[in-house]
Amino acid sequence: MAHDERPRTAPGPASRGGVTLKDVAQAAGVSISTASRALANNPHVSKATRRHVQQTARELNYVVNGLVRSMTGTGTRTVAFVTDAFLGEAFARMAQGVDMTLRRENAMLFLNSTQGFPEGQRIVIEQLARQRTSGVLLVGTQSDTDEHWTRIARYHDLLASVGARLVLCGVPAISNPKVSDIPTVSYDQRSGVQAATNALLDAGHRSIAFLGYSRRTTAMERFDGYRRAMRQAGLTVDPDDPMVIATGNVEEQIGPAALRLLDRDPAERPTAIVCTTDRMAHGVYRTARQLGLRLPEDLSVVGFDDLAADESLTPTLSTVNVPYEEIGRYAARLVLGLPVDRGEHPVFPVRFIPRRSIASPDRTATRSY
Amino acid sequence: MAHDERPRTAPGPASRGGVTLKDVAQAAGVSISTASRALANNPHVSKATRRHVQQTARELNYVVNGLVRSMTGTGTRTVAFVTDAFLGEAFARMAQGVDMTLRRENAMLFLNSTQGFPEGQRIVIEQLARQRTSGVLLVGTQSDTDEHWTRIARYHDLLASVGARLVLCGVPAISNPKVSDIPTVSYDQRSGVQAATNALLDAGHRSIAFLGYSRRTTAMERFDGYRRAMRQAGLTVDPDDPMVIATGNVEEQIGPAALRLLDRDPAERPTAIVCTTDRMAHGVYRTARQLGLRLPEDLSVVGFDDLAADESLTPTLSTVNVPYEEIGRYAARLVLGLPVDRGEHPVFPVRFIPRRSIASPDRTATRSY
DNA sequence: CTGAAAGCGCTAACAG
DNA sequence: CTGTTAGCGCTTTCAG
């Protein structure tokens, strides 16, 4: 029986390509169960045996099979971070927070992007259910349609049927009854944008545009913050307003959208823009420059997210800081069923950060050249 | 035996909290193996039985246990992306590439950050070995010490002993014999920085500083590119040169480092800076502004990475574009053992992208105010 | 303290 | 085509 087809592995025996507990037990001259106990530091083993078994295991390069463990109930838990595409600092920061908590709990993190297809989302979730993930963090904005929430509810059920939790992360607390029992970790997007808009109003702007409206949860909340601030200032806006331009959060769309807003007759052109994301704001900077507009004299801008690059721009970008990492940590606790102090639908506060991108519109009027 | 302690799950029976194949088989009135076959679309099952079993499975909300499958040899492969901290666009882009390839191969992606501790790296790798990951991508710069490579070699052996591959990603091809058989996916950092430095030299700069030298693989290669370009221009630099400043790639360190370089008597101050990363370049922009330096008139800057924000800066940042996503895809193929066309130590080309951050130093001389 | 034995849930020969 | 029988590698009673 001298077969030699195992991969380029260590000394050990094993048929499929790994040293098993059985091998260790045999080599140590004990039963499998004793070996198991010894390695698990189970107190019901004599110190001598334990030491010996552990030594043997080390010599054989034994590595327990964690997959099998999970089968028995023991084993490493696993949490998945599912999002459209994990580009972008915001996600990275959230993921960082999730990872921190998971590591402390000895759990592992799956990362999955759904690449925008709703089909992708389903496929990913099903795969995760099969792998008996203990929890799924569905991260990022969701489309706010009944159909979509129905789908989410199905995911919830599917995951529940294998004992896994679903947590929505970064979406506003949802009103849709279909999903009202699914935990959501949100942050106060409305107030954030409201504060940002107010800063522009306070500087004297009236002609304030909004970049980013669309039928997604996040965008809608942010739009609402803008609208409220405007209304309080006696200005009304609605989604059809020419000052409200829809765009996705990707370069290809941002440029044209910004152009539509800025390439106008000075009289029609906004003196300030509220951007749904910093990335959009960055795009606005580029477009404004291309059109020869001076920032902030000719155009004031506020963003949302507080990206690292904001302070390197000229002028530095006023924005809304979101505690993404903390959100990630909280979501991780929720999904692992760890005790939390803000319930299942926390809404984290955000903070408006004024910087140099806001100027009074008067300056525009007085500019001479 | 009417026990009812299972979680809030679907109808199915099951003791631990999940519908098993056995349940499906019983409900469908067939043997377990038939049920297994039916669900696997094994042709050796009558169409009728198959349909019936599949229907039953659906009604019971049955979800195969993928963990168990992996045990048998079938089952989803899993690849891990291990890095210090997954902030930063570069990593995100690489991860995106990895994810794309993995999805196509139906494999799953683990994400792990080691948080900077070498201990963390070990812990993560051991955990991955236990979970029988099929491969590990160790991403990012490594410290170039013998001790470290010894450690890496150990990881390689550990992973090999469970049939998993290790691929180093984003490091230069390594000369250290300890790890020469480990695949590495690199990109031509040296040429990139060389081109960037040449652009500054061509513009007439002589007093060119370098920001970012340190004893890590990446930084060293980049430093080397800088040194070469300088030498070809008849200028010599060495790591001790006051024009060479070391810094990690984090805000806290970048600011002070930039200050050390720029807060000098004009005669001692460089007229241009080669930055190891765009993030550092961004920091230089900030610091330069604080000191009242005009960009690019008083200071030319080049970076490395080609981050999205670069074009929103004023002036737009000249940089080196790296095909991170492609690198990720290649690394994923390598780690999965898929056929590749550039061998086990590819070095991807990079591309210098000139933008507005470079001006002739002459302008500095002629500035009057 | 230790060993034998019974699973965990599924796949894969092996016989009908 | 379908059922029986072995495992996969480990944990955990249950007896010594």
Side-chain angles (χ1 to χ4, degrees):
Chain A
M1 297 191 198
H3 60 153
D4 235 324
E5 9 157 50
R6 71 188 121 86
R8 59 230 137 20
T9 86
S15 56
R16 249 224 250 311
V19 181
T20 76
L21 184 56
K22 192 174 162 193
D23 300 324
V24 176
Q26 268 166 2
V30 298
S31 74
I32 295 187
S33 34
T34 301
S36 173
R37 284 191 277 255
L39 293 173
N41 277 319
N42 183 316
H44 301 270
V45 190
S46 79
K47 212 156 193 170
T49 341
R50 179 183 327 172
R51 190 185 303 267
H52 177 221
V53 171
Q54 294 191 345
Q55 176 58 25
T56 313
R58 213 170 300 124
E59 282 164 6
L60 259 43
N61 281 318
Y62 171 68
V63 181
V64 256
N65 187 326
L67 265 28
V68 175
R69 265 196 176 158
S70 308
M71 224 174 68
T72 324
T74 336
T76 314
R77 280 165 307 174
T78 217
V79 167
F81 187 94
V82 177
T83 164
D84 248 36
F86 37 79
L87 296 166
E89 245 177 271
F91 285 152
R93 286 190 341 222
M94 241 187 249
Q96 183 85 18
V98 172
D99 182 81
M100 281 179 58
T101 302
L102 259 42
R103 177 154 323 295
R104 190 162 310 137
E105 294 297 314
N106 229 300
M108 301 191 71
L109 179 60
F110 270 129
L111 186 64
N112 302 78
S113 77
T114 58
Q115 308 292 5
F117 317 105
E119 267 316 273
Q121 216 171 38
R122 205 204 71 223
I123 292 172
V124 163
I125 304 254
E126 285 178 353
Q127 191 172 31
L128 289 167
R130 261 181 268 126
Q131 294 303 118
R132 294 298 188 267
T133 305
S134 5
V136 173
L137 260 30
L138 200 53
V139 182
T141 186
Q142 305 290 328
S143 95
D144 191 19
T145 62
D146 232 57
E147 186 200 347
H148 184 67
W149 296 126
T150 307
R151 223 176 294 149
I152 298 288
R154 260 209 303 276
Y155 299 154
H156 171 264
D157 293 346
L158 170 61
L159 289 168
S161 78
V162 296
R165 305 186 186 217
L166 174 65
V167 171
L168 266 31
C169 199
V171 294
I174 302 159
S175 47
N176 198 306
K178 287 201 167 84
V179 287
S180 57
D181 54 330
I182 301 179
T184 52
V185 182
S186 352
Y187 47 96
D188 196 350
Q189 319 201 34
R190 189 178 291 117
S191 302
V193 175
Q194 197 169 346
T197 309
N198 278 332
L200 294 171
L201 288 163
D202 290 349
H205 291 275
R206 308 259 99 195
S207 173
I208 304 176
F210 182 86
L211 190 59
Y213 177 82
S214 78
R215 296 203 57 76
R216 316 218 79 204
T217 52
T218 294
M220 290 176 71
E221 274 241 322
R222 297 189 189 180
F223 177 71
D224 207 43
Y226 160 70
R227 175 149 55 176
R228 281 195 194 191
M230 293 297 270
R231 185 160 39 211
Q232 279 173 17
L235 301 164
T236 60
V237 284
D238 61 276
D240 303 329
D241 199 289
M243 283 297 187
V244 175
I245 299 282
T247 172
N249 197 25
V250 292
E251 306 313 337
E252 305 84 86
Q253 292 181 37
I254 296 172
L259 204 59
R260 246 165 75 212
L261 214 43
L262 294 176
D263 195 12
R264 303 181 179 180
D265 200 75
E268 315 274 294
R269 193 202 299 140
T271 61
I273 304 186
V274 174
C275 300
T276 318
T277 69
D278 277 356
R279 200 159 169 195
M280 292 182 192
H282 294 181
V284 165
Y285 270 51
R286 282 200 299 279
T287 304
R289 291 265 154 64
Q290 282 161 16
L291 295 175
L293 297 174
R294 296 168 310 160
L295 301 172
E297 294 87 345
D298 299 334
L299 183 71
S300 291
V301 182
V302 297
F304 199 108
D305 273 348
D306 197 16
L307 302 186
D310 288 354
E311 291 203 274
S312 302
L313 300 179
T314 317
T316 53
L317 178 63
S318 307
T319 188
V320 177
N321 174 275
V322 182
Y324 283 118
E325 198 171 314
E326 194 180 349
I327 289 173
R329 286 199 302 266
Y330 197 97
R333 299 188 66 83
L334 223 38
V335 88
L336 285 178
L338 262 35
V340 289
D341 50 8
R342 294 165 177 248
E344 300 221 308
H345 299 279
V347 178
F348 284 84
V350 300
R351 201 160 38 90
F352 174 64
I353 304 199
R355 288 200 275 245
R356 316 297 291 271
S357 62
I358 303 179
S360 149
D362 302 338
R363 290 213 236 165
T364 307
T366 55
R367 88 176 152 125
S368 45
Y369 46 119
Chain B
M1 308 179 192
H3 60 152
D4 236 324
E5 9 159 47
R6 71 189 121 87
R8 57 229 131 26
T9 86
S15 56
R16 249 224 248 312
V19 182
T20 74
L21 185 56
K22 192 174 161 194
D23 300 325
V24 176
Q26 269 166 3
V30 299
S31 74
I32 295 187
S33 37
T34 301
S36 173
R37 285 191 277 255
L39 292 174
N41 276 321
N42 183 315
H44 301 271
V45 189
S46 80
K47 213 159 192 166
T49 341
R50 180 183 326 173
R51 191 184 303 267
H52 178 221
V53 172
Q54 294 192 342
Q55 176 59 25
T56 313
R58 212 170 301 125
E59 281 164 5
L60 259 44
N61 280 319
Y62 172 68
V63 181
V64 256
N65 187 326
L67 265 27
V68 175
R69 265 195 175 159
S70 309
M71 225 175 66
T72 324
T74 337
T76 314
R77 280 166 307 175
T78 218
V79 167
F81 187 94
V82 178
T83 166
D84 249 34
F86 38 79
L87 296 167
E89 244 177 271
F91 285 151
R93 277 172 11 204
M94 242 187 248
Q96 184 85 18
V98 172
D99 182 80
M100 281 179 59
T101 302
L102 259 44
R103 176 153 325 292
R104 190 163 309 136
E105 294 297 315
N106 228 300
M108 301 191 70
L109 179 60
F110 271 128
L111 185 64
N112 302 78
S113 78
T114 59
Q115 307 292 4
F117 317 105
E119 267 317 273
Q121 216 171 37
R122 206 204 71 224
I123 293 172
V124 163
I125 304 254
E126 284 177 353
Q127 191 172 32
L128 290 167
R130 261 180 269 127
Q131 294 302 118
R132 294 298 189 268
T133 306
S134 0
V136 173
L137 261 28
L138 200 53
V139 182
T141 185
Q142 304 290 329
S143 93
D144 191 18
T145 62
D146 232 57
E147 186 200 347
H148 184 68
W149 296 127
T150 308
R151 223 176 295 148
I152 298 288
R154 259 209 304 277
Y155 299 155
H156 170 266
D157 294 345
L158 170 62
L159 289 169
S161 79
V162 296
R165 305 187 187 215
L166 175 64
V167 171
L168 266 32
C169 198
V171 294
I174 300 159
S175 47
N176 198 306
K178 288 200 168 85
V179 288
S180 57
D181 55 330
I182 301 179
T184 53
V185 182
S186 352
Y187 48 96
D188 197 350
Q189 320 201 33
R190 189 178 290 117
S191 303
V193 175
Q194 197 167 348
T197 309
N198 277 332
L200 294 171
L201 287 163
D202 290 349
H205 291 275
R206 306 260 99 192
S207 173
I208 304 176
F210 181 85
L211 190 60
Y213 176 82
S214 79
R215 295 202 59 74
R216 317 218 78 205
T217 53
T218 295
M220 290 177 71
E221 273 240 323
R222 296 188 190 180
F223 177 71
D224 207 44
Y226 160 71
R227 174 148 56 176
R228 279 195 196 191
M230 293 297 270
R231 186 161 38 214
Q232 280 173 16
L235 301 165
T236 60
V237 285
D238 61 276
D240 303 329
D241 199 290
M243 281 298 187
V244 175
I245 298 282
T247 172
N249 197 26
V250 291
E251 306 314 336
E252 306 84 85
Q253 292 180 37
I254 296 173
L259 205 59
R260 248 164 76 211
L261 213 43
L262 294 177
D263 194 11
R264 301 181 180 180
D265 199 78
E268 316 273 295
R269 193 201 301 139
T271 62
I273 304 186
V274 174
C275 299
T276 318
T277 69
D278 276 355
R279 200 159 167 194
M280 292 183 193
H282 295 183
V284 166
Y285 270 51
R286 282 201 299 279
T287 304
R289 291 262 156 64
Q290 282 161 17
L291 295 173
L293 296 172
R294 296 168 309 161
L295 301 171
E297 294 86 345
D298 299 333
L299 183 70
S300 291
V301 181
V302 297
F304 198 107
D305 273 348
D306 196 16
L307 301 186
D310 289 354
E311 292 203 276
S312 301
L313 300 180
T314 317
T316 53
L317 178 63
S318 308
T319 188
V320 177
N321 174 275
V322 182
Y324 283 117
E325 197 170 316
E326 194 180 348
I327 289 173
R329 284 200 302 265
Y330 197 97
R333 299 188 66 84
L334 224 38
V335 87
L336 285 178
L338 262 36
V340 290
D341 51 8
R342 294 164 178 249
E344 299 223 307
H345 298 280
V347 178
F348 284 83
V350 300
R351 200 159 40 89
F352 174 65
I353 305 199
R355 288 200 274 245
R356 317 297 291 271
S357 61
I358 303 178
S360 150
D362 302 339
R363 290 213 235 164
T364 307
T366 55
R367 88 173 151 128
S368 46
Y369 47 122

